[in-house]
Every structure is written in structure tokens, then in C-alpha cells.
Amino acid sequence: MDWEDLRFFVALARNRSLSAAARALKVNHATVARRISALELSLGAQLFERRPDGYVLTAQGQSISAETAAMASAASAIRDRVVSPEGPGGRVRLTTIRSVADLLLAPHLGQILDGFPGIQLEILTDVRIHSLAHREADIALRLGRPKDSDLTGKRVATITHGFYASAAMAARWRAGEAVPLIGFDLDSEQLIAEARWLETHYAHHSYSVRSGSTITQAVAAANGMGVVMLQRFQAREYPSLVEIDFGAVMPGRELWMLAPSGLMGVPRVSAIWERLAILFAGLGDL
């Protein structure tokens, strides 16, 4: 078995397509296919099943995925601990929810990366939770107390919610008029905690607009379409919205910064970790 083939196995397992794996490895997709075929031939087992949505590990592939991920992590750690004279460099993958990325991180990217010209910060905002254990991301900003003891964690904020409406809609509510809610589409209930909470507590309330985008919800509320529940730091982006005492509101949720313990000694990761800690300490209540 050629150990180099295992690097291609890890890339395809993570990216699930030949073209994406090829981009990650900076080769062409034919090279990835050839390397995977060579590995399967040497092991005498099929490691991937090709499906319409991409390459999926077979049972045999899953049986070696933990070991190959560990090998890739070890190789990366060796490379990363050698710091160039210009300071820490390389890619740092950070995963978080879109509202945190758009409203809390994006306006402060200059502060986060100042003095680190060699670091490339990649911010992932997919609905899918990226695995820190499998090195799909280096740092995560996640809502809720972590349960994985293998991660280094730091609570950086508590995110609170409120109900908001335009001034005219708020006046109608205070006058005792029934007003509609603005909420999430029903498909979002499986993926978004706020959607599940609203569906549990306000399932029988009338809705005027439903959308998986909280930006769409906020703009609809600002235009007088109904009452919306937003994270308070989101609502600050829309000065025309006023907070109202509509009823039970979703409890605050802790925002945690997480990273695999083994990465805390990697200069590029620790540098971004420290800058994020400083950033959130200065943001105050969210």
C-alpha cells in the first residue's frame, strides 16, 4: 500500500466529489480517481460507492476512516508547527451560523487578521454541522454547551432573542389587535433551533410570511408584515424595528468557541482563537 494514496482517500471522504477533492489537493480529478482505484486494489476492497449526491464511504471505507483522518491530522500538525519567519500561515477553517458570520465576524475581519498576512481564514456557514474531530473545520462557534470532552471550549457570549415589529404593527398589538407572526418555513424545523421552538410554542398562531432566511424575516417585519422573533444583535441592524412584549420568548443560548485540543498548539489556529476571544470580550451583550 502506498501511504500517499491515503491522502487522496481522506480528501475524497471529506469532499465527496472527485472535482472538490482534486481542488483541495491541487491535482486533476483523474489523478484522484487513479489513486483511489490503486488504494482499493491494494486493499482488495471497495471503499466508496458513487451516488447521485456524491461519493459515499462503504462499510469498508468507514472502517478505516478514523485511522486515515488521524494520519492526516498528524501530518498537518507536523507541518503547522514549523513557523516561518513571517509568522503563522496557512488556512484556518472556522464554522458557525450565518448570523454570527455576517453580523459579528465580517465587520471585524480586519481586527481578527491584523498582523497575520500568511493566514487565510475560511468561514463555513453551511446548515450542516462540520466535524471538528474529522478536521472538516479547525474552530467552531456553536450554540449550546459542548458535550465532547476532547474539544477545548470557551464560552464567548450568550445570544438572546426578542420579538420585534414595525412601529405601526407594534401599535396595533398594543391596542389589542390580533397580528400575524413572521417565522420559518416548515422545512427549517429539522435544522434550526429557533424554528423548532416557534413551532412548539406558536404552532397555532397565524403567520403572514415564512422563510428560512432571518434577513427576509427581518425585512418583512420592518415593512409591517407582522411580528418576528430575532436574535437581539440581528434586530439592531434594523433601527425601524421596536421590541414588544409579545409573549414567551426563546431562552438565551450560550455561544461556545471550540477546537480540537491537539490543534491549540498550532500557531495559525491559536492565533485566530486568541483574536476571536478578544473580539467577543469587547462585543458585550448579544
Side-chain angles (χ1 to χ4, degrees), residues 69-91:
M71 292 172 67
S73 179
S76 178
I78 291 170
R79 182 193 65 238
D80 293 336
R81 280 177 170 79
V82 180
V83 182
S84 72
E86 291 76 26
R91 182 178 65 169

Side-chain angles (χ1 to χ4, degrees), residues 127 184-193 195-196 199:
V127 173
F184 292 86
D185 59 79
L186 297 181
D187 289 340
S188 297
E189 185 181 347
Q190 304 301 317
L191 303 171
I192 301 174
R196 294 194 298 272
E199 193 60 26

Side-chain angles (χ1 to χ4, degrees), residues 224-235:
M225 298 299 298
V227 176
V228 64
M229 187 181 79
L230 295 172
Q231 296 165 339
R232 284 195 168 90
F233 72 85
Q234 289 179 297

Side-chain angles (χ1 to χ4, degrees), residues 29-146:
H29 71 278
T31 300
V32 178
R34 178 173 56 79
R35 287 284 192 170
I36 295 300
S37 295
L39 180 60
E40 290 179 328
L41 182 62
S42 66
L43 294 176
Q46 181 181 353
L47 303 176
F48 291 93
E49 178 183 346
R50 184 169 186 176
R51 297 180 181 175
D53 60 342
Y55 281 76
V56 179
L57 288 170
T58 63
Q60 296 277 35
Q62 291 174 356
S63 71
I64 67 169
S65 61
E67 288 82 359
T68 55
M71 292 172 67
S73 179
S76 178
I78 291 170
R79 182 193 65 238
D80 293 336
R81 280 177 170 79
V82 180
V83 182
S84 72
E86 291 76 26
R91 182 178 65 169
V92 177
R93 289 165 62 87
L94 186 155
T95 178
T96 190
I97 58 175
R98 181 168 293 278
S99 60
V100 169
D102 291 348
L103 302 179
L104 301 181
L105 298 184
H108 300 95
L109 287 175
Q111 173 185 341
I112 295 169
L113 292 171
D114 183 41
F116 300 131
I119 293 180
Q120 174 191 344
L121 181 61
E122 184 174 329
I123 300 175
L124 312 171
T125 57
D126 306 16
V127 173
R128 179 177 73 89
I129 296 177
H130 291 82
S131 171
L132 294 175
H134 292 124
R135 291 295 302 272
E136 292 179 335
D138 303 307
I139 299 174
L141 288 167
R142 289 183 183 162
L143 291 168
R145 183 178 292 273

Side-chain angles (χ1 to χ4, degrees), residues 212-229:
S213 166
T214 54
I215 294 176
T216 298
Q217 293 177 27
V219 172
N223 282 278
M225 298 299 298
V227 176
V228 64
M229 187 181 79

